Amino acid sequence: MIHEMKRLTTRIGAYDPLDAAGYERLGGFRGLRQALSKAPADVIGEVADAGLQGRGGAGFAAARKWSFVAAQERHPKYLICNADEGELGTVKDRLLLEGDPWAVAEGLLITAYATGADVIIVYIRGAYREAFCLWKELAERVSAELRRPELWTAAAGRAAPELRVVRGRGLYIAGEEMALIASLAARRPVSASKPPYPAEKGLFGMPTVVHNVETVANVPLILADGAGEYRTVGTEEEPGTRLFSLSGNIRRPGVYELPIGSTTLAQLIDDLGGGTLDGRPPKAVQPGGGTSALLSAAHLNTRMSSADLRAAGSSAGTGGVIVYGADRNAVSIVDELLGYYGGESCGMCMPCRVGTLKMREIVKRLLAGDGCAADIGRLRAVGETCVKASTCGMGQSFPLPVLSALKLFPRDFESLVRVPPRTRTPDQEQSR
Amino acid sequence: MNPEQAAAYRQFFSSLPSLVTAEDLFGILGQLQDELGCIPRAAIRDLAGRAGVSETRLFGAVTSYPDFLLAED
Ligand SMILES: Cc1cc2nc3c(=O)[nH]c(=O)nc-3n(C[C@H](O)[C@H](O)[C@H](O)COP(=O)(O)O)c2cc1C
Ligand code: SF4
């Protein structure tokens, strides 16, 4: 039987989320104090030693982003906390924002100190109304705390950063960092090809660092107890814990914190999640949110680390583990996923703009019993083109569940093919 | 837009500072949506004028979000 390891979630429920003193009594601000006693470059060094990687999906090394921004001379520099959390099956950021907001704020202040950021913007998913209201109030309390000399001014030797809280407006693509930057500038929220990277030319053309909420929440831990202590859990390449949001066909859905790589998918589902509703092994699981490739029951012994999940054919993504029951048909699973992601393309690049529509169309046709054998090949071809030729992570990843379903469950697709090509009417032929 | 919303919008716009920059726009649009329950078509013209950005740009931004409701005057 495995158990959770609470590092990021240990204070949740133990203090009033607006009460800075309560947070401090539970060990809060130790990381910020330690950080301010060092030079910014040494703070970046500590985070590099800890091997902290982004938890927003891409897994980029945090310290590398920080040093790019720190090296920029232009001001103001921006730090954006990405709390848009639009990925299906992912609710961990909400837990941190509402349950231990001061830890997120402390992480942001340390990041701002290390990178030289002057303005911190927390961009909160529109549906997270409670979190937004809480953070509006928190922003004022943070600036009050920062007036305590030992918490900023005396130590940092420059003005405290300004904390702004912004509410997202229900658009999935606005969580992608380039679209997020456009959104905040009141431009059409579309992604863009890189370079230039945000570190060089981000919000309003200024140096910008964008981080996921969970990434930021790790920062105070690293500074408070040092990189060595931080590395005592997790794997060599991927230290620390992760928050796994467990949902779908599962007895005890929820957010579970585990050391990275210590647990298999089966242990997470059975020991913590209590197994599937009917007790049978699941048909399929998405281990890293709604855009991660499906794994079948044969992969349940995969360890929950980026390297292991990649080797199994999927990815760790956002840590959103979605379980599909044994009675599910793979085509209906991908139909559900395409129903969400298919409407979220920003339209900037052709493969994704057209691919989302075409893939949805083909799957609908198969489900309606109007599909032909060639549709299966078409679905694969459109998906592969989209992954290879799209500009941003959206087009590069939303076809992955479909492609994996085609590989793992070909019978589900084939059994829906009803119309042999030669019996199609000229009308049907034309509508293709 | 109903008459109350129109009145509320006039009140809102007259209380805005005379200098509005592109940096403030997304926040102002959000405030409008939260307070009025919609974004009046007139606001796009007014805000674009005040911040010195094109109306097209603001229109494109506003109409991209499911949670922004554009209301005809
Ligand atoms: C379509 C799309 C949506 C995304 N949505 C989010 C999101 O809601 N929250 C988030 O933190 N990252 C999201 N990301 C990832 C961000 O682009 C970015 O990589 C991340 O915020 C960087 O933070 P990290 O380095 O701390 O992971 C999304 C990416 C894509 C392609
Ligand atoms: S991949 Fe899709 S979401 Fe990303 S830039 Fe292209 S059209 Fe937009």
Side-chain angles (χ1 to χ4, degrees):
Chain A
M1 191 75 181
I2 53 152
H3 296 283
E4 276 196 88
M5 170 182 256
K6 299 199 171 200
R7 269 188 169 187
L8 301 173
T9 52
T10 174
R11 275 184 295 259
I12 290 177
Y15 74 98
D16 173 350
L18 282 171
D19 179 19
Y23 175 66
E24 197 160 5
R25 269 195 302 279
L26 296 169
F29 300 129
R30 278 196 307 133
L32 181 58
R33 286 204 173 83
Q34 282 294 328
L36 294 173
S37 71
K38 300 172 191 252
D42 296 333
V43 176
I44 299 179
E46 194 75 37
V47 173
D49 291 344
L52 177 63
Q53 287 158 27
R55 307 288 202 246
F60 195 80
R64 281 190 63 197
K65 265 197 222 182
W66 293 16
S67 47
F68 294 148
V69 174
Q72 299 285 324
E73 311 252 311
R74 294 177 307 137
H75 284 269
K77 294 182 188 176
Y78 292 91
L79 163 60
I80 302 174
C81 179
N82 190 346
D84 204 37
E85 197 160 59
E87 190 73 340
L88 286 184
T90 312
V91 289
K92 64 189 176 79
D93 294 343
R94 179 178 191 180
L95 186 73
L96 295 172
L97 289 171
E98 293 180 9
D100 197 359
W102 280 100
V104 178
E106 186 183 352
L108 287 169
L109 292 168
I110 297 170
T111 310
Y113 174 69
T115 56
D118 309 277
V119 181
I120 302 171
I121 301 176
V122 185
Y123 189 98
I124 301 181
R125 179 186 167 117
Y128 291 176
R129 204 167 191 294
E130 295 82 0
F132 176 71
C133 296
L134 179 93
W135 273 79
K136 277 302 240 191
E137 251 188 274
L138 193 85
E140 284 167 31
R141 304 212 179 183
V142 168
S143 20
E145 287 303 312
L146 290 183
R147 271 178 238 124
R148 286 162 58 185
E150 84 279 14
L151 275 194
W152 189 274
T153 27
R158 65 179 179 94
E162 181 193 341
L163 177 61
R164 298 185 198 155
V165 182
V166 174
R167 191 169 176 200
R169 298 290 161 173
L171 192 71
Y172 169 63
I173 191 64
E176 192 280 326
E177 60 184 5
M178 302 303 276
L180 177 52
I181 286 169
S183 171
L184 283 167
R187 291 180 184 282
R188 213 153 64 84
V190 296
S191 185
S193 49
K194 296 180 259 193
Y197 291 93
E200 193 190 321
K201 201 160 173 282
L203 185 57
F204 307 117
M206 303 308 285
T208 301
V209 53
V210 183
H211 268 312
N212 173 257
V213 175
E214 185 186 345
T215 316
V216 166
N218 275 281
V219 172
L221 292 174
I222 295 170
L223 271 296
D225 299 318
E229 174 62 27
Y230 183 81
R231 279 185 164 277
T232 55
V233 306
T235 65
E236 180 61 26
E237 315 82 72
E238 222 186 335
T241 59
R242 271 199 87 150
L243 302 182
F244 294 103
S245 318
L246 190 55
S247 72
N249 189 316
I250 191 87
R251 270 180 213 277
R252 288 193 297 272
V255 177
Y256 298 99
E257 181 173 6
L258 292 167
I260 295 173
S262 71
T263 315
T264 65
L265 200 44
Q267 286 173 316
L268 176 60
I269 291 171
D270 294 331
D271 293 359
L272 294 173
T276 58
L277 293 175
D278 62 7
R280 289 191 286 167
K283 163 105 175 194
V285 181
Q286 285 186 290
T291 53
S292 61
L294 296 170
L295 296 177
S296 71
H299 296 116
L300 289 176
N301 284 328
T302 308
R303 290 192 171 274
M304 299 300 286
S305 77
S306 295
D308 290 293
L309 289 167
R310 210 178 310 121
S314 191
S315 63
T318 60
V321 180
I322 309 174
V323 183
Y324 298 96
D327 54 345
R328 289 298 302 268
N329 177 292
V331 187
S332 84
I333 295 175
V334 304
D335 179 50
E336 219 167 81
L337 293 169
L338 288 173
Y340 178 68
Y341 294 108
E344 299 291 338
S345 168
C346 81
M348 212 271 296
C349 67
M350 198 274 274
C352 165
R353 181 176 66 231
V354 178
T356 42
L357 289 176
K358 279 289 159 205
M359 291 177 77
R360 217 159 29 153
E361 213 176 272
I362 297 172
V363 168
K364 288 265 179 253
R365 193 152 70 216
L366 286 168
L367 284 171
D370 292 334
C372 67
D375 276 335
I376 297 179
R378 276 192 200 110
L379 186 61
R380 187 179 297 112
V382 176
E384 281 170 355
T385 308
C386 213
V387 171
K388 282 194 197 123
S390 291
T391 302
C392 86
M394 156 83 191
Q396 289 159 10
S397 61
F398 87 85
L400 298 175
V402 184
L403 295 173
S404 58
L406 284 164
K407 195 150 115 203
L408 296 171
F409 310 107
R411 292 281 309 132
D412 287 11
F413 289 84
E414 287 155 12
S415 66
L416 288 172
V417 172
R418 294 271 154 71
V419 193
R422 245 169 273 115
T423 65
R424 265 191 267 121
T425 63
D427 267 4
Q428 281 176 324
E429 200 57 67
Q430 267 212 325
S431 71
R432 252 147 242 269
Chain B
M1 210 168 36
N2 60 37
E4 288 101 86
Q5 284 173 321
Y9 171 64
R10 277 193 299 278
Q11 169 84 38
F12 182 93
F13 190 72
S14 62
S15 66
L16 279 184
S18 55
L19 185 72
V20 169
T21 68
E23 270 200 53
D24 310 319
L25 286 175
F26 190 67
I28 295 177
L29 291 171
Q31 232 180 319
L32 264 175
Q33 176 64 45
D34 291 342
E35 288 177 22
L36 268 64
C38 67
I39 296 178
R41 184 68 183 78
I44 291 184
R45 194 168 49 238
D46 297 343
L47 289 173
R50 193 157 292 190
V53 304
S54 75
E55 257 184 72
T56 336
R57 165 170 161 190
L58 268 195
F59 189 83
V62 168
T63 52
S64 292
Y65 300 92
D67 297 353
F68 277 159
L69 205 76
L70 187 68
E72 289 306 322
D73 302 339

PDB file of all heavy atoms in Angstrom, chain A residues 30-59:
ATOM      1  N   ARG A  30      10.338  31.140   5.143  1.00  0.00           N
ATOM      2  CA  ARG A  30      11.742  30.739   5.351  1.00  0.00           C
ATOM      3  C   ARG A  30      12.501  30.769   4.032  1.00  0.00           C
ATOM      4  O   ARG A  30      13.650  31.173   3.966  1.00  0.00           O
ATOM      5  CB  ARG A  30      11.815  29.329   5.956  1.00  0.00           C
ATOM      6  CG  ARG A  30      11.613  29.305   7.470  1.00  0.00           C
ATOM      7  CD  ARG A  30      12.084  27.984   8.045  1.00  0.00           C
ATOM      8  NE  ARG A  30      11.460  26.861   7.346  1.00  0.00           N
ATOM      9  CZ  ARG A  30      12.115  25.806   6.898  1.00  0.00           C
ATOM     10  NH1 ARG A  30      13.413  25.710   7.071  1.00  0.00           N
ATOM     11  NH2 ARG A  30      11.472  24.833   6.276  1.00  0.00           N
ATOM     12  N   GLY A  31      11.829  30.327   2.993  1.00  0.00           N
ATOM     13  CA  GLY A  31      12.464  30.303   1.670  1.00  0.00           C
ATOM     14  C   GLY A  31      12.791  31.697   1.169  1.00  0.00           C
ATOM     15  O   GLY A  31      13.888  31.942   0.649  1.00  0.00           O
ATOM     16  N   LEU A  32      11.842  32.626   1.347  1.00  0.00           N
ATOM     17  CA  LEU A  32      12.065  33.999   0.891  1.00  0.00           C
ATOM     18  C   LEU A  32      13.227  34.628   1.658  1.00  0.00           C
ATOM     19  O   LEU A  32      14.089  35.290   1.074  1.00  0.00           O
ATOM     20  CB  LEU A  32      10.782  34.819   1.078  1.00  0.00           C
ATOM     21  CG  LEU A  32      10.836  36.279   0.639  1.00  0.00           C
ATOM     22  CD1 LEU A  32      11.208  36.411  -0.836  1.00  0.00           C
ATOM     23  CD2 LEU A  32       9.507  36.990   0.900  1.00  0.00           C
ATOM     24  N   ARG A  33      13.262  34.401   2.987  1.00  0.00           N
ATOM     25  CA  ARG A  33      14.355  34.960   3.790  1.00  0.00           C
ATOM     26  C   ARG A  33      15.709  34.430   3.322  1.00  0.00           C
ATOM     27  O   ARG A  33      16.669  35.185   3.174  1.00  0.00           O
ATOM     28  CB  ARG A  33      14.159  34.612   5.267  1.00  0.00           C
ATOM     29  CG  ARG A  33      13.075  35.409   5.940  1.00  0.00           C
ATOM     30  CD  ARG A  33      13.336  35.449   7.440  1.00  0.00           C
ATOM     31  NE  ARG A  33      12.396  36.347   8.093  1.00  0.00           N
ATOM     32  CZ  ARG A  33      11.166  35.974   8.447  1.00  0.00           C
ATOM     33  NH1 ARG A  33      10.758  34.739   8.230  1.00  0.00           N
ATOM     34  NH2 ARG A  33      10.360  36.842   9.022  1.00  0.00           N
ATOM     35  N   GLN A  34      15.759  33.120   3.098  1.00  0.00           N
ATOM     36  CA  GLN A  34      16.993  32.514   2.614  1.00  0.00           C
ATOM     37  C   GLN A  34      17.386  33.108   1.264  1.00  0.00           C
ATOM     38  O   GLN A  34      18.556  33.429   1.042  1.00  0.00           O
ATOM     39  CB  GLN A  34      16.811  30.999   2.433  1.00  0.00           C
ATOM     40  CG  GLN A  34      16.870  30.192   3.710  1.00  0.00           C
ATOM     41  CD  GLN A  34      18.259  30.233   4.338  1.00  0.00           C
ATOM     42  OE1 GLN A  34      19.248  30.324   3.632  1.00  0.00           O
ATOM     43  NE2 GLN A  34      18.303  30.202   5.660  1.00  0.00           N
ATOM     44  N   ALA A  35      16.394  33.249   0.385  1.00  0.00           N
ATOM     45  CA  ALA A  35      16.687  33.770  -0.955  1.00  0.00           C
ATOM     46  C   ALA A  35      17.261  35.174  -0.866  1.00  0.00           C
ATOM     47  O   ALA A  35      18.258  35.495  -1.514  1.00  0.00           O
ATOM     48  CB  ALA A  35      15.420  33.758  -1.805  1.00  0.00           C
ATOM     49  N   LEU A  36      16.642  36.020  -0.023  1.00  0.00           N
ATOM     50  CA  LEU A  36      17.067  37.414   0.053  1.00  0.00           C
ATOM     51  C   LEU A  36      18.452  37.552   0.684  1.00  0.00           C
ATOM     52  O   LEU A  36      19.100  38.583   0.533  1.00  0.00           O
ATOM     53  CB  LEU A  36      16.033  38.240   0.840  1.00  0.00           C
ATOM     54  CG  LEU A  36      14.656  38.383   0.166  1.00  0.00           C
ATOM     55  CD1 LEU A  36      13.673  39.060   1.099  1.00  0.00           C
ATOM     56  CD2 LEU A  36      14.763  39.162  -1.137  1.00  0.00           C
ATOM     57  N   SER A  37      18.901  36.503   1.391  1.00  0.00           N
ATOM     58  CA  SER A  37      20.245  36.571   1.973  1.00  0.00           C
ATOM     59  C   SER A  37      21.314  36.199   0.941  1.00  0.00           C
ATOM     60  O   SER A  37      22.500  36.234   1.216  1.00  0.00           O
ATOM     61  CB  SER A  37      20.336  35.643   3.187  1.00  0.00           C
ATOM     62  OG  SER A  37      20.326  34.292   2.754  1.00  0.00           O
ATOM     63  N   LYS A  38      20.894  35.811  -0.242  1.00  0.00           N
ATOM     64  CA  LYS A  38      21.850  35.423  -1.293  1.00  0.00           C
ATOM     65  C   LYS A  38      21.767  36.401  -2.450  1.00  0.00           C
ATOM     66  O   LYS A  38      20.789  37.135  -2.578  1.00  0.00           O
ATOM     67  CB  LYS A  38      21.491  34.040  -1.868  1.00  0.00           C
ATOM     68  CG  LYS A  38      21.485  32.891  -0.906  1.00  0.00           C
ATOM     69  CD  LYS A  38      20.921  31.677  -1.653  1.00  0.00           C
ATOM     70  CE  LYS A  38      20.640  30.548  -0.703  1.00  0.00           C
ATOM     71  NZ  LYS A  38      21.537  29.440  -0.800  1.00  0.00           N
ATOM     72  N   ALA A  39      22.752  36.340  -3.332  1.00  0.00           N
ATOM     73  CA  ALA A  39      22.678  37.101  -4.584  1.00  0.00           C
ATOM     74  C   ALA A  39      21.690  36.390  -5.507  1.00  0.00           C
ATOM     75  O   ALA A  39      21.564  35.163  -5.447  1.00  0.00           O
ATOM     76  CB  ALA A  39      24.047  37.158  -5.242  1.00  0.00           C
ATOM     77  N   PRO A  40      20.981  37.161  -6.373  1.00  0.00           N
ATOM     78  CA  PRO A  40      20.021  36.519  -7.288  1.00  0.00           C
ATOM     79  C   PRO A  40      20.640  35.356  -8.068  1.00  0.00           C
ATOM     80  O   PRO A  40      19.996  34.308  -8.252  1.00  0.00           O
ATOM     81  CB  PRO A  40      19.623  37.665  -8.222  1.00  0.00           C
ATOM     82  CG  PRO A  40      19.775  38.886  -7.384  1.00  0.00           C
ATOM     83  CD  PRO A  40      20.938  38.630  -6.486  1.00  0.00           C
ATOM     84  N   ALA A  41      21.879  35.509  -8.507  1.00  0.00           N
ATOM     85  CA  ALA A  41      22.507  34.442  -9.296  1.00  0.00           C
ATOM     86  C   ALA A  41      22.632  33.159  -8.469  1.00  0.00           C
ATOM     87  O   ALA A  41      22.527  32.049  -9.013  1.00  0.00           O
ATOM     88  CB  ALA A  41      23.874  34.885  -9.787  1.00  0.00           C
ATOM     89  N   ASP A  42      22.863  33.310  -7.160  1.00  0.00           N
ATOM     90  CA  ASP A  42      22.985  32.115  -6.313  1.00  0.00           C
ATOM     91  C   ASP A  42      21.631  31.445  -6.095  1.00  0.00           C
ATOM     92  O   ASP A  42      21.550  30.236  -5.899  1.00  0.00           O
ATOM     93  CB  ASP A  42      23.618  32.475  -4.971  1.00  0.00           C
ATOM     94  CG  ASP A  42      25.045  32.985  -5.160  1.00  0.00           C
ATOM     95  OD1 ASP A  42      25.671  32.571  -6.165  1.00  0.00           O
ATOM     96  OD2 ASP A  42      25.502  33.803  -4.337  1.00  0.00           O
ATOM     97  N   VAL A  43      20.576  32.261  -6.087  1.00  0.00           N
ATOM     98  CA  VAL A  43      19.228  31.683  -5.984  1.00  0.00           C
ATOM     99  C   VAL A  43      18.950  30.836  -7.227  1.00  0.00           C
ATOM    100  O   VAL A  43      18.466  29.699  -7.135  1.00  0.00           O
ATOM    101  CB  VAL A  43      18.158  32.797  -5.842  1.00  0.00           C
ATOM    102  CG1 VAL A  43      16.761  32.203  -5.827  1.00  0.00           C
ATOM    103  CG2 VAL A  43      18.406  33.617  -4.578  1.00  0.00           C
ATOM    104  N   ILE A  44      19.320  31.374  -8.374  1.00  0.00           N
ATOM    105  CA  ILE A  44      19.134  30.617  -9.624  1.00  0.00           C
ATOM    106  C   ILE A  44      19.972  29.335  -9.572  1.00  0.00           C
ATOM    107  O   ILE A  44      19.515  28.255  -9.953  1.00  0.00           O
ATOM    108  CB  ILE A  44      19.512  31.475 -10.855  1.00  0.00           C
ATOM    109  CG1 ILE A  44      18.605  32.711 -10.920  1.00  0.00           C
ATOM    110  CG2 ILE A  44      19.395  30.657 -12.145  1.00  0.00           C
ATOM    111  CD1 ILE A  44      18.884  33.651 -12.083  1.00  0.00           C
ATOM    112  N   GLY A  45      21.185  29.445  -9.030  1.00  0.00           N
ATOM    113  CA  GLY A  45      22.052  28.277  -8.905  1.00  0.00           C
ATOM    114  C   GLY A  45      21.424  27.186  -8.050  1.00  0.00           C
ATOM    115  O   GLY A  45      21.472  26.000  -8.388  1.00  0.00           O
ATOM    116  N   GLU A  46      20.802  27.610  -6.949  1.00  0.00           N
ATOM    117  CA  GLU A  46      20.170  26.639  -6.038  1.00  0.00           C
ATOM    118  C   GLU A  46      19.027  25.900  -6.747  1.00  0.00           C
ATOM    119  O   GLU A  46      18.883  24.679  -6.623  1.00  0.00           O
ATOM    120  CB  GLU A  46      19.620  27.402  -4.817  1.00  0.00           C
ATOM    121  CG  GLU A  46      19.237  26.545  -3.636  1.00  0.00           C
ATOM    122  CD  GLU A  46      20.445  26.013  -2.863  1.00  0.00           C
ATOM    123  OE1 GLU A  46      21.442  26.753  -2.723  1.00  0.00           O
ATOM    124  OE2 GLU A  46      20.388  24.853  -2.413  1.00  0.00           O
ATOM    125  N   VAL A  47      18.222  26.656  -7.503  1.00  0.00           N
ATOM    126  CA  VAL A  47      17.091  26.052  -8.221  1.00  0.00           C
ATOM    127  C   VAL A  47      17.607  25.140  -9.342  1.00  0.00           C
ATOM    128  O   VAL A  47      17.039  24.077  -9.604  1.00  0.00           O
ATOM    129  CB  VAL A  47      16.138  27.149  -8.762  1.00  0.00           C
ATOM    130  CG1 VAL A  47      15.057  26.569  -9.662  1.00  0.00           C
ATOM    131  CG2 VAL A  47      15.482  27.877  -7.581  1.00  0.00           C
ATOM    132  N   ALA A  48      18.716  25.528  -9.948  1.00  0.00           N
ATOM    133  CA  ALA A  48      19.327  24.668 -10.972  1.00  0.00           C
ATOM    134  C   ALA A  48      19.806  23.367 -10.330  1.00  0.00           C
ATOM    135  O   ALA A  48      19.577  22.279 -10.875  1.00  0.00           O
ATOM    136  CB  ALA A  48      20.484  25.400 -11.649  1.00  0.00           C
ATOM    137  N   ASP A  49      20.461  23.472  -9.169  1.00  0.00           N
ATOM    138  CA  ASP A  49      20.942  22.264  -8.470  1.00  0.00           C
ATOM    139  C   ASP A  49      19.780  21.353  -8.096  1.00  0.00           C
ATOM    140  O   ASP A  49      19.901  20.133  -8.096  1.00  0.00           O
ATOM    141  CB  ASP A  49      21.714  22.635  -7.196  1.00  0.00           C
ATOM    142  CG  ASP A  49      23.040  23.306  -7.530  1.00  0.00           C
ATOM    143  OD1 ASP A  49      23.474  23.201  -8.700  1.00  0.00           O
ATOM    144  OD2 ASP A  49      23.625  23.954  -6.627  1.00  0.00           O
ATOM    145  N   ALA A  50      18.649  21.968  -7.736  1.00  0.00           N
ATOM    146  CA  ALA A  50      17.486  21.170  -7.334  1.00  0.00           C
ATOM    147  C   ALA A  50      16.871  20.462  -8.547  1.00  0.00           C
ATOM    148  O   ALA A  50      16.114  19.504  -8.398  1.00  0.00           O
ATOM    149  CB  ALA A  50      16.445  22.059  -6.663  1.00  0.00           C
ATOM    150  N   GLY A  51      17.184  20.946  -9.748  1.00  0.00           N
ATOM    151  CA  GLY A  51      16.666  20.303 -10.957  1.00  0.00           C
ATOM    152  C   GLY A  51      15.172  20.505 -11.151  1.00  0.00           C
ATOM    153  O   GLY A  51      14.496  19.650 -11.731  1.00  0.00           O
ATOM    154  N   LEU A  52      14.660  21.656 -10.701  1.00  0.00           N
ATOM    155  CA  LEU A  52      13.210  21.903 -10.823  1.00  0.00           C
ATOM    156  C   LEU A  52      12.794  22.050 -12.290  1.00  0.00           C
ATOM    157  O   LEU A  52      13.394  22.817 -13.040  1.00  0.00           O
ATOM    158  CB  LEU A  52      12.835  23.178 -10.059  1.00  0.00           C
ATOM    159  CG  LEU A  52      11.364  23.612 -10.157  1.00  0.00           C
ATOM    160  CD1 LEU A  52      10.438  22.560  -9.547  1.00  0.00           C
ATOM    161  CD2 LEU A  52      11.149  24.965  -9.491  1.00  0.00           C
ATOM    162  N   GLN A  53      11.768  21.292 -12.661  1.00  0.00           N
ATOM    163  CA  GLN A  53      11.233  21.376 -14.019  1.00  0.00           C
ATOM    164  C   GLN A  53       9.791  21.869 -13.986  1.00  0.00           C
ATOM    165  O   GLN A  53       9.076  21.609 -13.032  1.00  0.00           O
ATOM    166  CB  GLN A  53      11.281  20.001 -14.687  1.00  0.00           C
ATOM    167  CG  GLN A  53      12.699  19.603 -15.062  1.00  0.00           C
ATOM    168  CD  GLN A  53      12.856  18.115 -15.211  1.00  0.00           C
ATOM    169  OE1 GLN A  53      11.906  17.426 -15.519  1.00  0.00           O
ATOM    170  NE2 GLN A  53      14.067  17.633 -14.985  1.00  0.00           N
ATOM    171  N   GLY A  54       9.396  22.544 -15.075  1.00  0.00           N
ATOM    172  CA  GLY A  54       8.056  23.115 -15.159  1.00  0.00           C
ATOM    173  C   GLY A  54       6.990  22.042 -15.023  1.00  0.00           C
ATOM    174  O   GLY A  54       7.126  20.949 -15.542  1.00  0.00           O
ATOM    175  N   ARG A  55       5.919  22.384 -14.315  1.00  0.00           N
ATOM    176  CA  ARG A  55       4.826  21.432 -14.108  1.00  0.00           C
ATOM    177  C   ARG A  55       3.613  21.759 -14.964  1.00  0.00           C
ATOM    178  O   ARG A  55       2.543  21.203 -14.777  1.00  0.00           O
ATOM    179  CB  ARG A  55       4.394  21.441 -12.632  1.00  0.00           C
ATOM    180  CG  ARG A  55       5.522  21.226 -11.634  1.00  0.00           C
ATOM    181  CD  ARG A  55       6.024  19.785 -11.640  1.00  0.00           C
ATOM    182  NE  ARG A  55       6.699  19.459 -10.386  1.00  0.00           N
ATOM    183  CZ  ARG A  55       7.998  19.183 -10.260  1.00  0.00           C
ATOM    184  NH1 ARG A  55       8.772  19.180 -11.317  1.00  0.00           N
ATOM    185  NH2 ARG A  55       8.518  18.886  -9.086  1.00  0.00           N
ATOM    186  N   GLY A  56       3.786  22.704 -15.913  1.00  0.00           N
ATOM    187  CA  GLY A  56       2.650  23.133 -16.731  1.00  0.00           C
ATOM    188  C   GLY A  56       2.430  22.284 -17.973  1.00  0.00           C
ATOM    189  O   GLY A  56       1.516  22.524 -18.737  1.00  0.00           O
ATOM    190  N   GLY A  57       3.314  21.303 -18.191  1.00  0.00           N
ATOM    191  CA  GLY A  57       3.118  20.425 -19.336  1.00  0.00           C
ATOM    192  C   GLY A  57       4.384  20.144 -20.124  1.00  0.00           C
ATOM    193  O   GLY A  57       4.632  19.025 -20.548  1.00  0.00           O
ATOM    194  N   ALA A  58       5.205  21.187 -20.302  1.00  0.00           N
ATOM    195  CA  ALA A  58       6.367  21.013 -21.174  1.00  0.00           C
ATOM    196  C   ALA A  58       7.606  20.523 -20.421  1.00  0.00           C
ATOM    197  O   ALA A  58       8.514  19.954 -21.024  1.00  0.00           O
ATOM    198  CB  ALA A  58       6.661  22.309 -21.910  1.00  0.00           C
ATOM    199  N   GLY A  59       7.663  20.755 -19.118  1.00  0.00           N
ATOM    200  CA  GLY A  59       8.777  20.236 -18.315  1.00  0.00           C
ATOM    201  C   GLY A  59      10.115  20.905 -18.565  1.00  0.00           C
ATOM    202  O   GLY A  59      11.172  20.297 -18.415  1.00  0.00           O
TER     203      GLY A  59
END
